[in-house]
């Protein structure tokens, strides 16, 4: 691109002007053909014998540059958990893998989310990407969901804050972030033909609220509607989602890009609010290409609508500085510093689920350690699909078929065994793959301690069938536990699994999919170099029968991937069952016991709470928290609220704050209260009914520590309330 000097400075190249003016001026300067080139684009990789588009780096999407106008190409990369490489489309290109988003959710740490977002933005920018497709904000409505590792939690407040901060971090590096998959897209099996059916108020109080908060905090430049339908209409042409809610109520000013191969029409889609057809080569028709030209010529689509789509894209690119600070491939990346950020994120998210007789942390005096399973000698498991990050040195095994492409099961190169050996160099650390149960049980008898890595691989395009650990791992854990009383289980399951064996072992760590520093983070927690402070971002049920929809769709009966003809009728999934009461709110409502509740997590220290007070403006609460144990640690103060005497109002998280305390230290912790979570949607308003509310600090969603009852006045907020993004 030509350098901008005062001589060739145009209205839109002048950084002193605001993004709206600049976007409008640049749109005006573009030719019709240039505009059309930004309305639809293929997957930017070599496909079906065709080369990638000229100028494309090779990634999910590409829209050409306009050098004469000083406007760069849009180079779009997947980046939910780090910069993706779609298999190995840019041969040898490495990247830092973040822990899965669920693990970031488990950290309950918005600052960490911002920092990891910045890391992704920095890597993206240095690789030449100015738009990343990262910002998963769907609520976890089904623990079997194939893609839940890309989402944050089952709770709207936690999801909104973590996703929003991660997006803000990405965009602070002059890269547009894309919040996805808008909205209520919790299942993968049959994803291109499922209609998520739910009442409007319940939807607004749950999944939409998570998106709304994430958009308020992060101001993402782009939104990606999901593959699914919502209440019978494709998300990508759903006027309720894309126009009424997103634009009219939330004042959103970025652009809506379809998911890859998820556009279904021309006039309906664009007039409902879709701006760009992405992955157009996967769609059966070039909807936003020649058919759109025709629709504009014929008057079915006003030409002003075309300008609007272009202005929205440009506005977002200007707003994050993607045009003033253009991304170029070949930038410097400090991978070691980034690996450390990933490690810190994993350390902040690992959840200690069980620790009988304080068996953890392990003493450095151990001399005979047996490590079993999940390729822990090589690396840590990650989730499959478009979000996959494959740092150099990853172990790649056969995974699954996805849209005709084979998906690899990737173990990222951060070996727990190596990290353990570094902490206890004098110990003998033996690794056993655990396949021969007799042999490994014999070894377990000899060991001082046994650390078993249990795994469950999840992937885009397919849900896991059932929540049990596969491949006889349950039997293996039980056998090892009968051979040695000191068996520690580390879960690399990317989400909830059934744990009928949990009381047979003294300690359990939930390590999700922990990313590029995962092995080191697990070892640091096992040996007490780091005190665990993660909290469950979801409920672990006792049985699948306890879920709102115990049944699963049979993958053989549906189409799950774009680009394959759907001949069957749409499958309707009934989310009115739990409605807005997702996750722990559902379990509370139906009074079912759970294995581990949302918000649960142990520490190597203890915390005591003073009494809870409400700030005079009713906007926040505060409480004194003391570390009463012997080691430093972080506590997640979780504030739940319910309306007294109203059985339809399930206790829900309304505020949280993470605090680090040295032994003996006390701090006054304040947590903001999200007013919309104390309210309901009634007509066109959020309404908090006057009445007596109970606010409680809880150690998890079910266990109160201290609380107060307070009379709150009637309060309303129009749905159409948001101030436009800046
Ligand atoms: C996924 C999106 C992703 C896109 C581009 C789709 O299959 O659903 O999340 O961004 O591919 O790779």
């Amino acid at each position: 691109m030509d350098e901008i000097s005062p001589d060739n400075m145009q209205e839109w190249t002048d950084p002193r002007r605001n993004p709206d003016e600049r976007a409008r001026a640049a749109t005006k300067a573009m030719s019709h053909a240039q505009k059309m080139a930004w309305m639809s684009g293929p997957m930017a990789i070599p496909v079906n014998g065709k080369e990638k588009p000229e100028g494309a780096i090779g990634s999910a999407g590409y829209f050409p540059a306009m050098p004469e106008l000083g406007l760069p190409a849009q180079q779009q990369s997947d980046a939910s958990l780090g910069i993706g490489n779609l298999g190995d489309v840019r041969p040898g290109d490495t990247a830092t893998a973040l822990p899965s988003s669920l693990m970031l959710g488990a950290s309950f740490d918005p600052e960490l989310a911002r920092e990891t977002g910045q890391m992704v933005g920095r890597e993206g920018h240095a690789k030449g990407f100015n738009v990343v497709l990262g910002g998963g904000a769907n609520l976890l409505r089904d623990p079997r969901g194939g893609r839940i590792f890309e989402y944050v939690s089952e709770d709207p407040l936690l999801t909104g804050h973590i996703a929003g901060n991660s997006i803000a971090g990405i965009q602070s590096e002059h890269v547009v972030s894309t919040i996805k998959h808008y909205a209520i897209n919790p299942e993968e099996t049959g994803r291109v033909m499922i209609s998520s059916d739910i009442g409007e108020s319940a939807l607004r109080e749950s999944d939409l609220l998570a998106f709304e908060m994430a958009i308020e905090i992060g101001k993402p430049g782009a939104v990606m509607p999901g593959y699914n339908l919502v209440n019978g209409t494709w998300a990508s042409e759903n006027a309720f989602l894309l126009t009424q809610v997103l634009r009219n109520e939330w004042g959103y000013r970025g652009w809506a890009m379809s998911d890859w191969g998820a556009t279904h029409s021309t006039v309906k889609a664009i007039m409902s609010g879709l701006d760009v057809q992405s992955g157009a080569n996967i769609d059966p028709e070039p909807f936003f290409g020649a058919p759109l030209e025709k629709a504009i010529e014929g008057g079915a689509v006003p030409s002003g609508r075309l300008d609007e789509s272009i202005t929205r894209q440009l506005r977002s690119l200007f707003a994050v500085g993607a045009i003033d600070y253009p991304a170029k491939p070949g930038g410097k990346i400090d991978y070691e510093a980034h690996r450390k950020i990933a490690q810190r994120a994993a350390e902040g998210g690992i959840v200690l689920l069980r620790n009988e007789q304080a068996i953890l942390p392990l003493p450095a005096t151990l001399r005979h350690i047996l490590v079993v399973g999940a390729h822990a000698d090589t690396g840590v498991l990650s989730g499959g699909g478009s979000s996959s990050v494959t740092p150099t040195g990853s172990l790649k095994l056969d995974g699954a078929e996805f849209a005709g492409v084979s998906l690899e099961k990737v173990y990222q190169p951060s070996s727990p065994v190596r990290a353990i050996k570094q902490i206890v160099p004098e110990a003998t650390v033996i690794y056993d793959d655990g396949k021969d149960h007799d042999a490994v049980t014999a070894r377990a008898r000899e060991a001082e301690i046994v650390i078993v890595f249990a795994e469950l691989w999840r992937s885009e395009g397919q849900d896991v069938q059932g929540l049990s650990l596969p491949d006889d791992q349950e039997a293996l854990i039980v056998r090892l536990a009968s051979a040695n009383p000191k068996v520690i289980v580390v879960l690399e399951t990317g989400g909830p699994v059934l744990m009928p064996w949990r009381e047979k072992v003294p300690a359990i760590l939930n390590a999700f999919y922990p990313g590029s520093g995962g092995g080191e983070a697990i070892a640091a927690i096992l040996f007490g170099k780091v005190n665990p402070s993660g909290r469950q971002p979801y409920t672990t049920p006792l049985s699948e029968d306890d879920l709102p929809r115990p049944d699963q769709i049979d993958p053989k009966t549906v189409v799950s991937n774009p680009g394959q003809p759907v001949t069957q009728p749409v499958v309707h999934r009934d989310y009115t069952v739990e409605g807005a009461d997702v996750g722990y709110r559902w379990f509370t409502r139906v009074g079912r016991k759970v294995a581990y509740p949302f918000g649960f997590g142990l520490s190597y220290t203890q915390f005591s709470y003073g009494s809870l007070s409400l700030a005079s403006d009713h906007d926040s609460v505060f409480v004194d928290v003391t570390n009463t144990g012997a080691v430093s640690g972080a506590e997640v103060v979780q504030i739940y609220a319910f309306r007294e005497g109203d059985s339809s109002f399930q206790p829900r998280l309304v505020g949280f704050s993470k605090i680090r305390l040295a032994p003996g230290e006390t701090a006054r912790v304040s947590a903001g209260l999200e007013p919309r979570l104390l309210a309901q949607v009634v007509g066109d308003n959020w309404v908090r009914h006057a009445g007596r509310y109970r606010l409680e600090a809880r150690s998890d969603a079910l266990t109160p520590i201290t609380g107060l009852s307070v009379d709150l006045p009637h309060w309303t907020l129009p749905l159409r309330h948001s101030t436009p993004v800046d």
Side-chain angles (χ1 to χ4, degrees):
M1 201 172 80
D2 295 338
E3 286 300 313
I4 308 285
S5 71
D7 296 340
N8 62 3
M9 189 177 274
Q10 310 279 355
E11 239 179 314
W12 62 90
T13 52
D14 181 352
R16 289 161 305 187
R17 291 178 179 268
N18 73 40
D20 287 297
E21 288 171 359
R22 297 177 75 183
R24 276 196 300 270
T27 306
K28 237 185 184 168
M30 282 166 72
S31 68
H32 179 74
Q34 283 173 324
K35 290 176 193 168
M36 288 303 296
W38 273 32
M39 294 301 288
S40 134
M43 191 134 190
I45 59 173
V47 81
N48 296 338
K50 274 203 201 144
E51 279 303 295
K52 64 179 160 63
E54 209 189 320
I57 297 174
S59 64
Y62 170 79
F63 296 82
M66 290 160 255
E68 61 282 22
L69 301 181
L71 298 173
Q74 281 185 47
Q75 305 272 6
Q76 305 181 340
S77 172
D78 276 300
S80 293
L81 317 167
I83 302 300
N85 195 358
L86 295 168
D88 201 18
V89 63
R90 300 181 304 281
D93 186 31
T94 192
T96 309
L98 285 179
S100 50
S101 303
L102 261 180
M103 193 168 197
L104 215 56
S107 77
F108 276 71
D109 190 343
E111 273 170 41
L112 195 59
R114 199 168 278 248
E115 196 184 344
T116 52
Q118 260 163 1
M119 189 221 86
V120 170
R122 260 197 312 274
E123 280 195 18
H125 197 264
K127 289 175 188 293
F129 297 111
N130 51 11
V131 178
V132 298
L133 314 171
N138 285 105
L139 293 190
L140 197 155
R141 279 179 184 263
D142 194 312
R144 298 160 300 198
R147 248 180 139 169
I148 56 172
F149 63 91
E150 288 186 61
Y151 303 133
V152 176
S153 81
E154 65 188 25
D155 179 81
L157 184 74
L158 181 61
T159 299
H161 281 252
I162 297 295
N165 276 283
S166 158
I167 289 164
I170 292 173
Q171 297 202 150
S172 69
E173 298 293 330
H174 312 305
V175 174
V176 166
S177 172
T178 309
I179 193 167
K180 64 189 190 182
H181 303 92
Y182 183 65
I184 192 160
N185 181 200
E187 291 172 72
E188 288 295 292
T189 301
R191 63 179 170 164
V192 301
M193 51 180 286
I194 286 187
S195 174
S196 302
D197 293 349
I198 187 169
E200 256 179 50
S201 301
L203 181 56
R204 288 179 194 280
E205 290 167 15
S206 55
D207 292 62
L208 290 186
L209 182 56
F211 273 92
E212 184 178 15
M213 289 189 288
I215 288 174
E216 285 165 359
I217 296 167
K219 305 179 171 64
V223 170
M224 185 192 293
Y227 282 122
N228 56 307
L229 303 89
V230 175
N231 291 329
T233 304
W234 299 107
S236 58
E237 53 184 46
N238 193 309
F240 169 75
L241 289 179
L242 295 176
T243 299
Q244 183 178 332
V245 173
L246 189 65
R247 306 272 167 207
N248 299 349
E249 291 171 12
W250 299 349
Y252 183 70
R253 292 200 275 163
W255 83 96
M257 64 167 84
S258 77
D259 200 342
W260 270 235
T263 306
H264 295 274
S265 61
T266 301
V267 178
K268 181 171 182 193
I270 196 165
M271 295 315 287
S272 300
L274 187 70
D275 295 304
V276 173
Q277 177 190 16
S278 314
N281 56 316
I282 310 173
D283 283 320
E285 283 183 51
F287 296 111
F288 279 30
L292 178 60
E293 290 275 18
K294 242 181 154 179
I296 295 172
E297 273 162 32
V301 173
S303 62
R305 178 67 191 88
L306 173 66
D307 286 357
E308 196 171 41
S309 287
I310 298 299
T311 307
R312 288 170 178 170
Q313 297 175 60
L314 287 167
R315 182 192 186 281
S316 292
L317 291 161
F318 281 120
V320 302
I323 294 176
D324 298 331
Y325 305 91
K328 292 190 189 101
K332 270 220 165 82
I333 297 175
D334 185 344
Y335 285 111
E336 185 45 26
H338 285 186
R339 197 196 58 73
K340 288 206 172 109
I341 295 174
Q343 180 179 336
R344 245 185 323 108
E347 289 168 353
I350 289 176
V351 183
L352 177 61
L353 288 175
R354 186 172 165 83
N355 194 16
E356 293 301 289
Q357 272 101 49
I359 188 170
L360 294 179
L362 298 173
T365 49
L366 285 176
R367 288 296 170 267
H368 190 175
I369 302 171
L370 175 64
V371 178
V372 181
H375 299 280
D377 56 336
T378 306
V380 287
L381 185 59
S382 63
S386 57
S387 68
S388 177
V389 182
T390 47
T392 307
S394 295
L395 169 67
K396 299 177 182 177
L397 303 180
D398 286 346
E401 279 287 301
F402 164 57
V405 179
S406 28
L407 280 186
E408 287 161 330
K409 183 177 179 188
V410 173
Y411 292 82
Q412 291 159 343
S414 173
S415 155
V417 167
R418 199 176 51 228
I420 291 170
K421 282 183 178 161
Q422 267 164 12
I423 294 179
V424 279
E426 276 145 44
T428 306
V429 185
I430 295 172
Y431 173 73
D432 188 303
D433 66 13
K435 294 212 172 97
D436 180 340
H437 288 202
D438 292 336
V440 72
T441 307
R443 277 179 153 169
R445 280 197 198 96
E446 305 300 314
E448 274 177 280
I449 202 108
V450 181
I451 306 169
V452 194
F453 285 78
E455 63 172 9
L456 176 69
W457 188 59
R458 295 172 190 257
S459 162
E460 179 173 344
Q462 54 182 14
D463 296 326
V464 292
Q465 293 300 304
L467 274 183
S468 298
L469 284 173
D471 305 328
D472 267 349
Q473 293 180 91
E474 286 188 354
L476 174 64
I477 292 170
V478 172
R479 270 200 78 182
L480 291 172
S482 66
N484 189 319
K486 294 187 173 176
V487 170
I488 293 154
V489 177
V490 179
L491 296 174
E492 286 179 7
T493 54
V497 284
L498 298 180
M499 301 163 71
W501 41 266
R502 68 190 185 288
E503 284 172 8
K504 295 193 173 15
V505 297
I508 306 170
L509 284 187
N510 185 3
F512 302 85
Y513 296 146
S516 280
E520 289 78 7
I522 291 167
I525 299 257
L526 285 171
F527 285 88
K529 304 265 172 218
V530 172
N531 190 349
S533 63
R535 301 289 183 263
Q536 290 288 85
Y538 49 69
T539 306
T540 299
L542 284 168
S543 156
E544 283 172 61
D545 293 340
D546 294 337
L547 299 173
R549 282 162 301 284
D551 63 302
Q552 282 192 278
I553 297 171
D554 177 353
K556 289 196 259 356
T557 62
V558 287
V559 174
S560 298
N561 287 316
Q564 297 168 26
V566 179
T567 46
Q568 307 96 309
V570 163
V571 176
H572 288 268
R573 286 296 260 175
D574 183 9
Y575 292 104
T576 60
V577 178
E578 75 278 35
D581 288 330
V582 182
Y584 63 93
R585 282 165 57 173
W586 156 261
F587 285 92
T588 315
R589 188 168 104 192
V590 294
R592 290 187 192 149
K593 288 211 160 58
V594 303
Y596 294 104
F598 173 87
F600 178 82
L602 304 171
S603 166
Y604 295 152
T605 187
Q606 298 82 41
F607 299 95
S608 77
Y609 282 62
S611 46
L612 196 66
S613 310
L614 184 65
S616 54
D617 55 9
H618 292 180
D619 277 359
S620 58
V621 289
F622 52 94
V623 60
D624 287 343
V625 181
T626 305
N627 179 349
T628 57
V631 290
S632 300
E635 169 71 332
V636 178
V637 174
Q638 304 170 46
I639 308 297
Y640 293 82
F642 59 95
R643 209 168 113 86
E644 290 186 5
D646 180 352
S647 60
S648 72
F649 195 112
Q650 301 312 320
R652 74 275 314 264
L653 188 72
V654 293
F656 66 92
S657 180
K658 191 166 193 175
I659 171 97
R660 279 160 195 83
L661 294 171
E665 189 183 351
T666 298
R668 177 149 296 186
V669 183
S670 121
L673 302 176
E674 169 52 55
R676 284 165 289 189
L677 279 159
L678 286 156
Q680 287 163 291
V681 172
V682 182
D684 291 336
N685 293 291
W686 288 97
V687 176
R688 184 184 69 205
H689 298 292
R692 201 157 179 77
Y693 289 79
R694 179 91 186 146
L695 299 172
E696 289 179 343
R698 295 185 168 192
S699 55
D700 57 57
L702 308 178
T703 317
I705 305 170
T706 177
L708 62 95
S709 296
V710 56
D711 288 317
L712 292 177
H714 185 79
W715 171 90
T716 63
L717 177 74
L719 292 177
R720 185 194 275 260
H721 66 274
S722 296
T723 42
V725 292
D726 57 28

